[in-house]
Amino acid sequence: MPFLVYGRDARTGVRARRVSTSAQTAIDARREAESDGMRVSTVVPCTRRTAADSFGSHGHSATAAAGSALSRESGAFDRQLHGITPRACMTYGLIAANLAVFAAMVLCGVSGAHPKSADVVRWGADFGPKSLGREPWRLVSSMFVHFGFAHLASNMVVFCYVGPIVERMLGSIGFLATYLAAGIAGALVAVGMHPISVEAGASGAVFGIYGALIAILALERKSVPPEVRTNLMGYALVFVAFNLLHSLRPEISMAAHVGGLIGGFACGLVLARPLSRTSLPGRGVRDAIFAAGSGVVLALGLLAVRALQPNLLAVDVAIQRFTTAEIEIPDAIAKLASEANSAGGASGAAGAIERDYLPRWHSVLSYVESTKPVPSSLQPHIDAILRYMHHREENWRELATALVADDKLMWEEAQRRMSSLDEDARQIRRSAPLHAPFD
């Protein structure tokens, strides 16, 4: 026979009511509730329909996140989690922090819909030359910076859906450590694969929370009612599968999502404990040891990524100098050549090319050539830039010679090569190792 048990939570003193369907007697129902941390005042027999109605009136976030109707198992599991961690304050604190940073950005003049990369970098986005250089704090700050309100909202909605459940499973400190560790892991993987991209957003950390949930459900089968476990696992796996497929889009970083997911799953494996009050003693010490250990692991990861992407700041400066020269010089020379051909100022145009533009171009070329070592992920791009710059310099010298010699055939050949090199320049821009921020 089911029993309604009334009383107060032994830790918080909050009035509580639960339904016991497994107890055979009122004494058994009282003992079961007391073992879950409840100070019992009254035990009342009830019908199964009354018990089901009672469950329906006291469901909380676990059943909402699982996406299933309130049930006896989910109600009991929800109370079980509240007994372990009564408040999920860290989840809502992290959401508030993300909202506060975004509000501050907008109030300071950053676009709320489509902020520029430069603005996001100023607010702490992940950018390899800075993150792997003197500003490694960006691996943390980038979790709280977003590329517009839609980006922020999509991350916070899915986080709010599952965050309170995982926080109650891990405890607030373990949950915060998992969130940060997963976010940093995602940022490290992203910057390791795309070192000169600007990336920001909480999705690496959010993926990590889902990864931790999957790990806990896999390890603590006996602590979670079967129906609840099936619903939660199904929801988590669908979320991960759908969003990894979504990450195949070129403007989203798969690396950050996968890095965060693996990091969070590893954290869940380490922190998972039976979901009962018996696991509470020593949780603070375990969390402190875990935070220190994960900090050491992530520091080693940072050193490894730095070794993988050496001399990144100098390489980025070289690419920027090339980009600036490529924007200014080819158009100026093409305009000179066109005006010389139509107005007859061949010698003046040739002199300007030789005197004003070729030395500037060669200076940038020499700087790019001298920038070493180059990270292996950027070497193909640097090689393509150098080939292009050498060919472009040779072409302009031929063009200047044709103008001075008034050689029509040489002029036409130089013009054809110039058009071909314009296409090479477009190809370099298309193949540049730059990626849009991850969702």
Side-chain angles (χ1 to χ4, degrees), residues 208-436:
I209 295 303
Y210 279 84
L213 175 61
I214 293 171
I216 295 167
L217 293 174
L219 286 181
E220 300 300 330
R221 292 172 175 266
K222 295 181 180 180
S223 299
V224 186
E227 179 185 341
V228 175
R229 181 180 177 277
T230 298
N231 287 331
L232 283 175
M233 184 67 84
Y235 170 72
L237 292 176
V238 168
F239 168 85
V240 169
F242 175 80
N243 283 280
L244 287 181
L245 287 174
H246 184 64
S247 303
L248 294 174
R249 293 167 55 188
E251 69 271 20
I252 298 175
S253 174
M254 172 74 80
H257 290 174
V258 173
L261 178 66
I262 294 174
F265 183 81
C267 292
L269 291 178
V270 174
L271 290 175
R273 293 293 186 276
L275 301 178
S276 68
R277 295 176 65 85
T278 60
S279 65
L280 292 179
R283 184 161 76 174
V285 175
R286 290 196 302 269
D287 289 346
I289 294 173
F290 168 76
S294 60
V296 171
V297 171
L298 291 170
L300 293 174
L302 174 59
L303 294 176
V305 176
R306 279 177 171 171
L308 182 67
Q309 305 291 354
N311 202 31
L312 193 55
L313 181 58
V315 173
D316 181 61
V317 171
I319 292 174
Q320 289 184 36
R321 290 187 63 175
F322 161 73
T323 302
T324 301
E326 172 60 26
I327 291 172
E328 297 174 355
I329 298 177
D331 286 346
I333 291 180
K335 184 178 180 181
L336 273 175
S338 176
E339 291 174 352
N341 189 43
S342 60
S347 60
I353 293 172
E354 294 278 3
R355 180 183 64 253
D356 299 330
Y357 295 110
L358 278 175
R360 286 177 55 192
W361 186 261
H362 189 77
S363 174
V364 175
L365 171 58
S366 298
Y367 185 87
V368 176
E369 284 182 323
S370 66
T371 303
K372 295 177 182 180
V374 176
S376 58
S377 60
L378 298 178
Q379 189 66 62
H381 186 62
I382 295 296
D383 290 343
I385 288 174
L386 289 172
R387 284 194 301 271
Y388 164 76
M389 293 192 77
H390 278 292
H391 292 157
R392 185 67 97 173
E393 184 176 26
E394 292 170 2
N395 175 237
W396 288 333
R397 293 192 186 281
E398 292 171 355
L399 182 66
T401 301
L403 286 170
V404 172
D406 194 21
D407 189 323
K408 184 176 181 180
L409 291 178
M410 184 182 294
W411 162 266
E412 291 176 350
E413 178 62 26
Q415 287 288 83
R416 280 194 294 271
R417 285 200 64 194
M418 186 180 292
S419 298
S420 175
L421 288 167
D422 288 342
E423 178 56 35
D424 290 346
R426 286 189 288 270
Q427 181 60 37
I428 287 175
R429 288 193 291 270
R430 284 194 295 266
S431 62
L434 300 174
H435 298 263

Side-chain angles (χ1 to χ4, degrees), residues 35-89:
S35 68
D36 286 339
M38 186 175 178
R39 291 199 299 266
V40 177
S41 59
T42 308
V43 179
V44 181
C46 64
T47 64
R48 291 191 177 275
R49 178 166 182 171
T50 303
D53 291 343
S54 177
F55 273 118
S57 64
H58 289 275
H60 296 286
S61 60
T63 51
S68 62
L70 298 177
S71 66
R72 291 177 297 179
E73 285 186 344
S74 61
F77 182 65
D78 186 56
R79 284 186 293 277
Q80 180 181 340
L81 290 183
H82 278 72
I84 301 170
T85 308
R87 296 179 179 85
C89 56

